[in-house]
Amino acid sequence: MSSSEWERVERLLNRVERPARYIDHEWGASREPGFNYRAVLLYPDTYELGMANQAISILYERLNAADEVLAERCFLPWIDMAAAMREEDIPLFGLETGLAVRDADLFGITLPYELTYTNILEALDLAGIPLRARDRGEGDPVVLGGGPCAYNPEPIAEFFDAILIGEGEEAILEIANVHRRARDGGADRVGILRELARLDGVYVPRFYQPVRDAEGALTGVVADTGITPVVNKRVLADLDTFRAPTCPVVPFMDVVHDRASVEILRGCTRGCRFCQAGMVYRPVRERSADSIVRDAIASLKCTGYDEVSLTSLSTTDHSQLEDVLRRLTRRLEGKGISVSVPSLRVDAFSIDMARLVGGGRKSGLTFAPEAGTQRLRDVINKNVTEEELLGTVRHAFDAGWRRVKLYFMLGLPTETDADVLGISDLVRKVSDEARSCVEPSQRGSIRIAVSVSVFVPKAHTPFQWDPQLPRDEIGRRQDLLRSSMPRKGIELSWHEADVSFLEAVMARGGREIADAIEAAWRTGAVFDAWTERFDIGTWLGAFASVGVDPASVAVGEKSSNEILPWDHISCGVSRAYLARERERASEASTTSDCSFDGCTGCDACDELGVEIVLGGGTRGAR
Amino acid sequence: MPATNSESKSSLGVAHVAPGEFRLRIAYQKIGRLRFLSHLEVLRAMERAARRADLPYSVTKGFSPHMKLAFGPALPVGTAGEREYVDIWLTTYEPAEGLAGRLREASVSDLAPVAAGFVAAGEPSLTAACTIAEYEVIVGGDGARGTALAESLKTLVDSREFAVEHKGKKKVFDLARSLPKEHRVESCGRGATVDLIVRMGPEGSLRPDVFVREAILRASIDASIDTVTRTGTLIEDSEGAWRRPL
Ligand code: SF4
């Protein structure tokens, strides 16, 4: 951006809230001169949410380290800034050099959450790029998606030229190189996309056609000639091949997860049957203790943060966690720098680890029993017993904690009223257990936060065929739970049922959903993930206007042999395994964690040619 | 910009500070687009820079130990500062020049130290001591070029009192006290430059942008404030003399 262009942006900053979202110049921001390939990486929400995204940070570092490539960050301007930019005719730009997104070679958009889909359209529109891939011309950037929502890309497939399925460390540079070569060789847009479609893990939606029968039911998604019929996810064989980003951009603004972080393992095979992350990130691969310690120290040194978080889906499962924490706390002693461990397992070991890093700090512990009865916990394969939970709570309150947070899910397959009441019952027992560990005079400080979400059936899980409950039935069960929940010291919070309903539509829908997303955006839906912005009315109107019944998508049950909109996308876990797991769920029979107890036959390792990697060789008994 | 610190270990330094703690005063700039940072953002950025520079900072005791440092009067979002101050307490002595150099290397240029030196442990805090602020307000637009702005400002000052409303609360400034020195208006490329010296205090300080905006409004001219910069902050001693904190 020339200085006169920046002056135009700068003039807007006096009239928008939180101008620090748009000013760049943070420590670690890249502005390397000399490049012939330009990428802009968008997180489709605000700066303060996007700066926490590790995928963006990894891709940013990988691209900027490559020869003659410049990658810039971009976040969706908040409503006030977007309005000001439209008024002044300023197109969406990358933060680092102010490059207009439409002039970039590659516009990478991460797909963190279904409720950011309208934000993607808002970004494309602000950038001046046609919303649908088929309407884009030779001068437009290649719009590339990727991230958690890519495992059912169909609702947004038409907005993307290409979507990367799976992990991006290696793939992003292959994509950039193939694109650059094809571009320099004079290939046209379709030619470039054909080249990209040859890369493992790259899905180019325009080369796949959904086929429907006379009733409109999906009978398959057929690939064009020469295009792979099923796109397998990309996966790193060994996390240690790449260092965690040690010099990420350090924001000025207060952002979520404002700390250094090292991803210490990827994948989780506990096998909760509702959990998409637990299926699509298989197999488990741990970073070694030596590289975790090295990267944590390097990252603190380079960023100046006062906290480093050891992140993953299940940090306390790492086979060398204790070793890592002891080494880190010793090296950081006396510096006012702390280590944090998110996502605790329900066991005494986890409490000991929290105590090791927390020192005097006892902020709060979080556990996720998910269901209130043993039967339902067995159905969902949440291998936690009531005794284990109560024992862990006792251990935590004995060690000085006064706050715990418990996560539950309502509307899980096979749930009955007895299971709903079981949640209240379990909370009561947790509360009694906590009180019994604490002096009577201190019992007033005990807080048990209970957070209840609504089951959303997700692609590539054993429950992908199961329906979400109708909204009025969810309401009835919420009432039942509310009226039976103990009050003293309990803080009950809900996940909006309407939001979960929309999530389910997006998570299970096919390409027919695209028109509704566009209609919703055209009638004002944007930043839907922000509670104060979400309006189910706008969405229902949008679905009606394009003739799609959202309830049939979210609430309809599917048979195990039905063709699913995402059948041409594979995360390695076989459909047969998912069906078998669903069968076992109906028998309330559990399946063990392969990273502790040996392979349970999900096929991911064979299919993807990788295997479990454990830093310490084995994982101990739980 | 090179550090302009002149203190050395012998001339000030160690004799004046508590044993085991050294109070390093840093003058820094917050300029360019980083003027849009809030005080809290500046504070966090400065702490991070100090850690990157590996300054031998002291850590407070207690439940959540943190770096010991104290800032001068806050700058609002959008206002630049050419010479703002922060004190950082250190556990070991090193020459201020070297510390400032390291900190500068660990900082982005628009938010970086311009000078540093040690001050005595017993010196009053920066927020209490710094009561005078010098501002430069640049007013752009054709309407700023004539004499109307200067006349309007003069009328405003002569009216002796200035009332502002903030969050429903009305506040009246005694201008003889709030503006301890006569302001200056000069024409410049973009319009006009207004130099104002404002007295700050615990009871609240007159905001130069609010004052100048009122003058623009009353003059009914086509002009608007481009930038506001605090060019200096001064300490007023008991005799009424002004000096720089560093
Ligand atoms: S194939 Fe076996 S070892 Fe590999 S992730 Fe699946 S269950 Fe685990």
Side-chain angles (χ1 to χ4, degrees):
Chain A
M1 187 179 280
S2 69
S3 57
S4 65
E5 280 166 334
W6 169 251
E7 268 177 34
R8 292 178 62 210
V9 173
E10 206 170 18
R11 265 201 290 277
L12 309 182
L13 298 184
N14 280 316
R15 50 173 156 126
V16 298
E17 56 177 83
R18 306 195 189 205
R21 285 166 171 162
Y22 314 106
I23 58 178
D24 181 62
H25 282 38
E26 306 95 323
W27 180 257
S30 212
R31 260 177 307 280
E32 292 294 310
F35 43 81
N36 66 15
Y37 188 84
R38 295 170 304 177
V40 176
L41 302 175
L42 172 84
Y43 185 89
D45 210 304
T46 59
Y47 178 95
E48 56 272 33
L49 292 173
M51 280 300 289
N53 188 268
Q54 287 192 46
I56 291 264
S57 155
I58 290 171
L59 301 180
Y60 180 79
E61 186 176 278
R62 294 283 298 148
L63 284 168
N64 280 316
D67 265 355
E68 299 194 28
V69 176
L70 178 77
E72 311 198 20
R73 294 162 299 147
C74 184
F75 304 93
L76 189 64
W78 186 247
I79 296 152
D80 56 354
M81 184 64 170
M85 286 166 64
R86 286 192 169 104
E87 211 171 280
E88 299 293 327
D89 215 6
I90 296 173
L92 189 67
F93 55 90
L95 288 181
E96 277 74 1
T97 73
L99 172 71
V101 171
R102 63 166 176 249
D103 295 333
D105 295 290
L106 185 74
F107 186 25
I109 303 179
T110 189
L111 308 171
Y113 175 41
E114 292 87 355
L115 261 58
T116 61
Y117 289 171
T118 51
N119 297 0
I120 294 169
L121 300 189
E122 174 78 350
L124 288 169
D125 185 65
L126 273 173
I129 298 171
L131 303 185
R132 307 270 175 159
R134 62 165 184 266
D135 298 331
R136 289 179 199 138
E138 295 299 331
D140 288 312
V142 165
V143 180
L144 172 77
C149 291
Y151 290 97
N152 175 19
E154 292 308 278
I156 45 168
E158 293 191 358
F159 306 129
F160 285 89
D161 296 301
I163 296 174
L164 172 67
I165 315 297
E167 299 170 4
E169 278 92 344
E170 295 167 326
I172 191 69
L173 289 188
E174 294 170 19
I175 290 169
N177 287 335
V178 165
H179 183 194
R180 179 158 48 177
R181 219 176 306 127
R183 178 199 69 187
D184 294 349
D188 65 3
R189 197 170 181 84
V190 174
I192 289 171
L193 294 177
R194 271 200 179 273
E195 289 300 314
L196 290 178
R198 274 191 229 274
L199 287 171
D200 286 341
V202 175
Y203 169 52
V204 178
R206 75 164 69 189
F207 299 145
Y208 295 78
Q209 322 311 330
V211 182
R212 296 182 180 279
D213 65 16
E215 274 85 59
L218 190 69
T219 56
V221 177
V222 180
D224 292 359
T225 333
I227 300 289
T228 179
V230 173
V231 183
N232 275 325
K233 79 163 180 193
R234 290 297 293 265
V235 59
L236 283 186
D238 184 353
L239 287 196
D240 278 343
T241 335
F242 296 101
R243 294 187 68 160
T246 44
C247 288
V249 179
V250 181
F252 291 113
M253 259 188 94
D254 195 9
V255 304
V256 300
H257 307 310
D258 199 3
R259 53 181 91 102
S261 63
V262 176
E263 186 190 19
I264 73 164
L265 66 92
R266 204 172 278 178
C268 167
T269 38
R270 291 190 218 177
C272 299
R273 290 174 178 136
F274 56 82
C275 178
Q276 191 184 45
M279 296 295 154
V280 300
Y281 299 130
R282 289 176 176 227
V284 165
R285 288 143 296 149
E286 294 183 352
R287 216 181 266 286
S288 69
D290 288 347
S291 58
I292 295 169
V293 173
R294 175 200 65 195
D295 291 353
I297 298 289
S299 169
L300 287 167
K301 210 173 162 63
C302 188
T303 59
Y305 277 117
D306 62 353
E307 182 180 349
V308 60
S309 177
L310 305 181
T311 63
S312 77
L313 291 168
S314 56
T315 294
T316 37
D317 282 342
H318 193 288
S319 58
Q320 298 168 303
L321 183 67
E322 186 161 2
D323 177 37
V324 167
L325 293 180
R326 289 200 191 282
R327 283 162 70 181
L328 278 179
T329 41
R330 195 178 49 77
R331 288 187 59 175
L332 299 173
E333 207 180 325
K335 296 206 161 140
I337 294 175
S338 61
V339 183
S340 61
V341 177
S343 66
L344 291 185
R345 216 162 57 190
V346 179
D347 62 14
F349 171 78
S350 301
I351 306 295
D352 293 340
M353 291 305 105
R355 186 150 53 165
L356 185 62
V357 298
R361 275 188 259 195
K362 298 274 185 311
S363 42
L365 297 173
T366 301
F367 301 108
E370 303 291 0
T373 61
Q374 195 59 49
R375 183 200 70 81
L376 192 52
R377 283 196 295 276
D378 289 344
V379 167
I380 64 176
N381 204 40
K382 189 89 211 181
N383 286 313
V384 171
T385 63
E386 186 174 301
E387 292 71 52
E388 283 165 338
L389 178 63
L390 296 180
T392 308
V393 166
R394 197 178 320 122
H395 201 75
F397 280 81
D398 280 344
W401 268 276
R402 292 293 172 266
R403 267 190 85 84
V404 292
K405 186 166 189 176
L406 302 175
Y407 280 109
F408 292 97
M409 208 179 264
L410 209 64
L412 284 160
T414 78
E415 182 185 79
T416 63
D417 283 2
D419 297 307
V420 177
L421 295 172
I423 297 177
S424 304
D425 217 39
L426 189 58
V427 170
R428 189 173 298 110
K429 286 179 185 158
V430 165
S431 168
D432 290 348
E433 195 68 43
R435 295 172 70 79
S436 74
C437 302
V438 174
E439 292 281 316
S441 62
Q442 283 185 32
R443 287 184 187 153
S445 62
I446 294 175
R447 284 285 170 283
I448 298 176
V450 179
S451 170
V452 186
S453 63
V454 176
F455 166 68
V456 176
K458 296 266 186 165
H460 307 281
T461 66
F463 290 164
Q464 64 182 352
W465 294 280
D466 288 280
Q468 187 174 59
L469 290 177
R471 276 150 65 224
D472 45 356
E473 177 57 17
I474 290 171
R476 190 191 66 80
R477 295 190 194 187
Q478 285 178 334
D479 287 344
L480 182 64
L481 183 58
R482 195 181 293 112
S483 60
S484 59
M485 184 62 66
R487 305 239 182 301
K488 209 176 166 106
I490 311 289
E491 292 161 2
L492 181 62
S493 63
W494 304 96
H495 197 73
E496 252 317 307
D498 284 337
V499 171
S500 305
F501 171 70
L502 191 60
E503 285 168 10
V505 178
M506 300 295 165
R508 290 178 112 199
R511 290 207 187 166
E512 72 282 2
I513 305 296
D515 289 344
I517 297 172
E518 184 173 338
W521 171 72
R522 290 202 184 280
T523 45
V526 72
F527 289 110
D528 295 298
W530 293 66
T531 317
E532 72 273 23
R533 297 272 325 156
F534 180 78
D535 178 11
I536 191 69
T538 305
W539 278 97
L540 295 178
F543 281 110
S545 74
V546 301
V548 170
D549 172 22
S552 71
V553 181
V555 175
E557 178 157 359
K558 296 174 188 283
S559 71
S560 289
N561 49 20
E562 193 172 328
I563 301 289
L564 303 170
W566 52 89
D567 274 349
H568 55 302
I569 304 294
S570 168
C571 66
V573 175
S574 67
R575 191 185 164 112
Y577 179 79
L578 298 179
R580 210 154 60 230
E581 278 295 294
R582 186 190 193 203
E583 205 44 53
R584 292 174 71 84
S586 67
E587 296 155 4
S589 141
T590 61
T591 300
S592 58
D593 181 340
C594 64
S595 67
F596 286 86
D597 305 320
C599 182
T600 59
C602 84
D603 299 333
C605 291
D606 262 2
E607 190 63 38
L608 305 166
V610 289
E611 54 186 36
I612 296 181
V613 180
L614 301 179
T618 57
R619 284 182 166 180
R622 280 162 300 170
Chain B
M1 205 182 292
T4 54
N5 154 65
S6 57
E7 278 90 34
S8 69
K9 190 171 175 177
S10 52
S11 72
L12 202 153
V14 282
H16 294 258
V17 300
E21 277 213 335
F22 303 86
R23 182 171 170 186
L24 181 71
R25 177 158 295 173
I26 293 159
Y28 65 92
Q29 60 182 10
K30 172 204 174 199
I31 58 168
R33 56 176 83 177
L34 296 195
R35 71 179 185 277
F36 289 105
L37 299 183
S38 70
H39 186 58
L40 197 66
E41 288 160 356
V42 169
L43 184 149
R44 231 179 354 236
M46 202 55 87
E47 283 186 355
R48 288 172 184 168
R51 275 190 292 266
R52 290 193 291 262
D54 203 19
L55 299 191
Y57 57 85
S58 297
V59 171
T60 61
K61 312 240 172 331
F63 261 0
S64 60
H66 55 268
M67 187 182 301
K68 217 170 139 183
L69 76 183
F71 279 78
L75 268 185
V77 173
T79 301
E82 285 176 358
R83 219 181 148 86
E84 298 295 307
Y85 298 93
V86 57
D87 288 346
I88 301 189
W89 281 261
L90 306 177
T91 55
T92 53
Y93 176 83
E94 286 174 51
E97 199 104 354
L99 293 169
R102 249 154 67 199
L103 189 60
R104 193 161 31 246
E105 265 167 38
S107 301
V108 293
S109 57
D110 285 354
L111 182 71
V114 293
F118 285 96
V119 296
E123 280 254 329
S125 76
L126 282 163
T127 33
C130 296
T131 52
I132 306 292
E134 305 167 312
Y135 287 98
E136 176 198 82
V137 182
I138 297 193
V139 183
D142 288 340
R145 287 181 214 286
T147 53
L149 177 64
E151 282 158 17
S152 179
L153 274 165
K154 187 169 182 325
T155 318
L156 210 52
V157 172
D158 289 346
S159 66
R160 310 250 291 277
E161 280 188 346
F162 183 69
V164 288
E165 238 187 76
H166 185 61
K167 290 183 183 157
K169 270 204 203 133
K170 199 171 160 183
K171 190 162 172 48
V172 180
F173 289 96
D174 167 7
L175 293 180
R177 187 176 157 69
S178 287
L179 299 173
K181 220 168 156 183
E182 203 176 331
H183 67 275
R184 278 206 334 239
V185 186
E186 264 167 34
S187 60
C188 70
R190 279 188 279 177
T193 306
V194 181
D195 290 321
L196 279 177
I197 295 187
V198 176
R199 189 188 304 279
M200 303 180 285
E203 69 290 344
S205 327
L206 180 64
R207 279 189 59 157
D209 50 338
V210 174
F211 192 70
V212 174
R213 199 168 294 126
E214 181 66 21
I216 294 171
L217 202 74
R218 292 198 189 182
S220 316
I221 47 175
D222 173 27
S224 62
I225 295 177
D226 274 355
T227 58
V228 182
T229 305
R230 185 149 77 192
T231 52
T233 311
L234 304 168
I235 295 174
E236 186 173 38
D237 67 20
S238 48
E239 268 91 67
W242 295 351
R243 67 175 169 91
R244 286 213 213 175
L246 194 65

PDB file of all heavy atoms in Angstrom, chain A residues 269 282-284 577 594-595 598-606 612, ligand 1:
ATOM      1  N   THR A 269      -7.265 -40.124  20.054  1.00  0.00           N
ATOM      2  CA  THR A 269      -7.961 -41.352  19.669  1.00  0.00           C
ATOM      3  C   THR A 269      -8.768 -41.931  20.822  1.00  0.00           C
ATOM      4  O   THR A 269      -8.992 -43.128  20.903  1.00  0.00           O
ATOM      5  CB  THR A 269      -6.968 -42.400  19.138  1.00  0.00           C
ATOM      6  OG1 THR A 269      -5.772 -42.334  19.919  1.00  0.00           O
ATOM      7  CG2 THR A 269      -6.632 -42.159  17.693  1.00  0.00           C
ATOM      8  N   ARG A 282      -6.639 -38.140  13.102  1.00  0.00           N
ATOM      9  CA  ARG A 282      -5.900 -39.366  13.403  1.00  0.00           C
ATOM     10  C   ARG A 282      -4.697 -39.534  12.471  1.00  0.00           C
ATOM     11  O   ARG A 282      -4.724 -39.022  11.367  1.00  0.00           O
ATOM     12  CB  ARG A 282      -6.832 -40.573  13.255  1.00  0.00           C
ATOM     13  CG  ARG A 282      -7.839 -40.611  14.368  1.00  0.00           C
ATOM     14  CD  ARG A 282      -8.813 -41.729  14.195  1.00  0.00           C
ATOM     15  NE  ARG A 282      -9.686 -41.736  15.360  1.00  0.00           N
ATOM     16  CZ  ARG A 282     -10.006 -42.823  16.055  1.00  0.00           C
ATOM     17  NH1 ARG A 282      -9.545 -44.001  15.705  1.00  0.00           N
ATOM     18  NH2 ARG A 282     -10.786 -42.739  17.099  1.00  0.00           N
ATOM     19  N   PRO A 283      -3.673 -40.278  12.824  1.00  0.00           N
ATOM     20  CA  PRO A 283      -3.452 -40.858  14.148  1.00  0.00           C
ATOM     21  C   PRO A 283      -2.784 -39.869  15.099  1.00  0.00           C
ATOM     22  O   PRO A 283      -2.456 -38.755  14.695  1.00  0.00           O
ATOM     23  CB  PRO A 283      -2.498 -42.017  13.844  1.00  0.00           C
ATOM     24  CG  PRO A 283      -1.692 -41.515  12.684  1.00  0.00           C
ATOM     25  CD  PRO A 283      -2.628 -40.663  11.875  1.00  0.00           C
ATOM     26  N   VAL A 284      -2.569 -40.309  16.333  1.00  0.00           N
ATOM     27  CA  VAL A 284      -1.884 -39.472  17.314  1.00  0.00           C
ATOM     28  C   VAL A 284      -0.412 -39.358  16.937  1.00  0.00           C
ATOM     29  O   VAL A 284       0.241 -40.353  16.646  1.00  0.00           O
ATOM     30  CB  VAL A 284      -2.001 -40.105  18.715  1.00  0.00           C
ATOM     31  CG1 VAL A 284      -1.002 -39.460  19.676  1.00  0.00           C
ATOM     32  CG2 VAL A 284      -3.412 -39.972  19.250  1.00  0.00           C
ATOM     33  N   TYR A 577     -15.680 -48.540   9.656  1.00  0.00           N
ATOM     34  CA  TYR A 577     -15.346 -48.373  11.071  1.00  0.00           C
ATOM     35  C   TYR A 577     -16.382 -47.483  11.760  1.00  0.00           C
ATOM     36  O   TYR A 577     -16.845 -47.783  12.863  1.00  0.00           O
ATOM     37  CB  TYR A 577     -13.950 -47.756  11.196  1.00  0.00           C
ATOM     38  CG  TYR A 577     -13.511 -47.514  12.634  1.00  0.00           C
ATOM     39  CD1 TYR A 577     -13.025 -48.559  13.407  1.00  0.00           C
ATOM     40  CD2 TYR A 577     -13.577 -46.241  13.199  1.00  0.00           C
ATOM     41  CE1 TYR A 577     -12.620 -48.350  14.713  1.00  0.00           C
ATOM     42  CE2 TYR A 577     -13.176 -46.018  14.511  1.00  0.00           C
ATOM     43  CZ  TYR A 577     -12.694 -47.077  15.262  1.00  0.00           C
ATOM     44  OH  TYR A 577     -12.300 -46.859  16.556  1.00  0.00           O
ATOM     45  N   CYS A 594      -6.555 -46.317  20.937  1.00  0.00           N
ATOM     46  CA  CYS A 594      -5.467 -47.070  20.311  1.00  0.00           C
ATOM     47  C   CYS A 594      -4.084 -46.552  20.700  1.00  0.00           C
ATOM     48  O   CYS A 594      -3.105 -47.276  20.588  1.00  0.00           O
ATOM     49  CB  CYS A 594      -5.631 -47.062  18.795  1.00  0.00           C
ATOM     50  SG  CYS A 594      -5.488 -45.429  18.068  1.00  0.00           S
ATOM     51  N   SER A 595      -3.996 -45.305  21.172  1.00  0.00           N
ATOM     52  CA  SER A 595      -2.677 -44.788  21.539  1.00  0.00           C
ATOM     53  C   SER A 595      -2.225 -45.364  22.886  1.00  0.00           C
ATOM     54  O   SER A 595      -1.059 -45.244  23.262  1.00  0.00           O
ATOM     55  CB  SER A 595      -2.678 -43.260  21.575  1.00  0.00           C
ATOM     56  OG  SER A 595      -3.483 -42.788  22.620  1.00  0.00           O
ATOM     57  N   GLY A 598      -3.563 -50.239  21.760  1.00  0.00           N
ATOM     58  CA  GLY A 598      -3.431 -50.969  20.502  1.00  0.00           C
ATOM     59  C   GLY A 598      -4.538 -50.645  19.517  1.00  0.00           C
ATOM     60  O   GLY A 598      -5.620 -50.168  19.878  1.00  0.00           O
ATOM     61  N   CYS A 599      -4.236 -50.932  18.258  1.00  0.00           N
ATOM     62  CA  CYS A 599      -5.101 -50.545  17.140  1.00  0.00           C
ATOM     63  C   CYS A 599      -6.522 -51.101  17.278  1.00  0.00           C
ATOM     64  O   CYS A 599      -6.717 -52.256  17.622  1.00  0.00           O
ATOM     65  CB  CYS A 599      -4.479 -51.039  15.843  1.00  0.00           C
ATOM     66  SG  CYS A 599      -5.436 -50.582  14.396  1.00  0.00           S
ATOM     67  N   THR A 600      -7.494 -50.256  16.996  1.00  0.00           N
ATOM     68  CA  THR A 600      -8.880 -50.722  17.018  1.00  0.00           C
ATOM     69  C   THR A 600      -9.459 -50.759  15.601  1.00  0.00           C
ATOM     70  O   THR A 600     -10.669 -50.915  15.429  1.00  0.00           O
ATOM     71  CB  THR A 600      -9.751 -49.813  17.910  1.00  0.00           C
ATOM     72  OG1 THR A 600      -9.684 -48.470  17.408  1.00  0.00           O
ATOM     73  CG2 THR A 600      -9.265 -49.829  19.345  1.00  0.00           C
ATOM     74  N   GLY A 601      -8.587 -50.578  14.607  1.00  0.00           N
ATOM     75  CA  GLY A 601      -9.004 -50.843  13.230  1.00  0.00           C
ATOM     76  C   GLY A 601      -9.780 -49.745  12.529  1.00  0.00           C
ATOM     77  O   GLY A 601     -10.661 -50.024  11.725  1.00  0.00           O
ATOM     78  N   CYS A 602      -9.428 -48.476  12.775  1.00  0.00           N
ATOM     79  CA  CYS A 602     -10.157 -47.404  12.079  1.00  0.00           C
ATOM     80  C   CYS A 602      -9.654 -47.224  10.653  1.00  0.00           C
ATOM     81  O   CYS A 602     -10.255 -46.513   9.865  1.00  0.00           O
ATOM     82  CB  CYS A 602     -10.069 -46.088  12.846  1.00  0.00           C
ATOM     83  SG  CYS A 602      -8.580 -45.129  12.538  1.00  0.00           S
ATOM     84  N   ASP A 603      -8.525 -47.831  10.325  1.00  0.00           N
ATOM     85  CA  ASP A 603      -7.935 -47.839   8.981  1.00  0.00           C
ATOM     86  C   ASP A 603      -7.169 -46.569   8.608  1.00  0.00           C
ATOM     87  O   ASP A 603      -6.599 -46.493   7.510  1.00  0.00           O
ATOM     88  CB  ASP A 603      -8.988 -48.113   7.879  1.00  0.00           C
ATOM     89  CG  ASP A 603      -9.641 -49.461   8.057  1.00  0.00           C
ATOM     90  OD1 ASP A 603      -8.980 -50.345   8.650  1.00  0.00           O
ATOM     91  OD2 ASP A 603     -10.796 -49.639   7.632  1.00  0.00           O
ATOM     92  N   ALA A 604      -7.157 -45.565   9.479  1.00  0.00           N
ATOM     93  CA  ALA A 604      -6.510 -44.298   9.110  1.00  0.00           C
ATOM     94  C   ALA A 604      -5.022 -44.506   8.814  1.00  0.00           C
ATOM     95  O   ALA A 604      -4.495 -43.961   7.842  1.00  0.00           O
ATOM     96  CB  ALA A 604      -6.689 -43.264  10.215  1.00  0.00           C
ATOM     97  N   CYS A 605      -4.342 -45.283   9.639  1.00  0.00           N
ATOM     98  CA  CYS A 605      -2.895 -45.434   9.466  1.00  0.00           C
ATOM     99  C   CYS A 605      -2.575 -46.067   8.120  1.00  0.00           C
ATOM    100  O   CYS A 605      -1.730 -45.571   7.371  1.00  0.00           O
ATOM    101  CB  CYS A 605      -2.294 -46.254  10.610  1.00  0.00           C
ATOM    102  SG  CYS A 605      -2.336 -45.357  12.174  1.00  0.00           S
ATOM    103  N   ASP A 606      -3.258 -47.158   7.792  1.00  0.00           N
ATOM    104  CA  ASP A 606      -3.027 -47.849   6.519  1.00  0.00           C
ATOM    105  C   ASP A 606      -3.368 -46.952   5.349  1.00  0.00           C
ATOM    106  O   ASP A 606      -2.602 -46.816   4.405  1.00  0.00           O
ATOM    107  CB  ASP A 606      -3.939 -49.085   6.448  1.00  0.00           C
ATOM    108  CG  ASP A 606      -3.149 -50.313   6.851  1.00  0.00           C
ATOM    109  OD1 ASP A 606      -1.961 -50.142   7.206  1.00  0.00           O
ATOM    110  OD2 ASP A 606      -3.729 -51.416   6.816  1.00  0.00           O
ATOM    111  N   ILE A 612       1.110 -44.174  14.506  1.00  0.00           N
ATOM    112  CA  ILE A 612       1.154 -43.439  15.777  1.00  0.00           C
ATOM    113  C   ILE A 612       2.601 -43.105  16.116  1.00  0.00           C
ATOM    114  O   ILE A 612       3.479 -43.945  15.956  1.00  0.00           O
ATOM    115  CB  ILE A 612       0.559 -44.308  16.899  1.00  0.00           C
ATOM    116  CG1 ILE A 612      -0.929 -44.572  16.635  1.00  0.00           C
ATOM    117  CG2 ILE A 612       0.755 -43.660  18.260  1.00  0.00           C
ATOM    118  CD1 ILE A 612      -1.600 -45.403  17.702  1.00  0.00           C
TER     119      ILE A 612
HETATM  120  S1  SF4 C   1      -5.543 -47.289  12.343  1.00  0.00           S
HETATM  121 FE1  SF4 C   1      -5.486 -48.177  14.382  1.00  0.00          FE
HETATM  122  S2  SF4 C   1      -3.692 -47.233  15.329  1.00  0.00           S
HETATM  123 FE2  SF4 C   1      -4.155 -45.998  13.532  1.00  0.00          FE
HETATM  124  S3  SF4 C   1      -5.466 -44.365  14.342  1.00  0.00           S
HETATM  125 FE3  SF4 C   1      -6.831 -45.998  13.617  1.00  0.00          FE
HETATM  126  S4  SF4 C   1      -7.238 -47.233  15.436  1.00  0.00           S
HETATM  127 FE4  SF4 C   1      -5.438 -45.958  15.889  1.00  0.00          FE
END
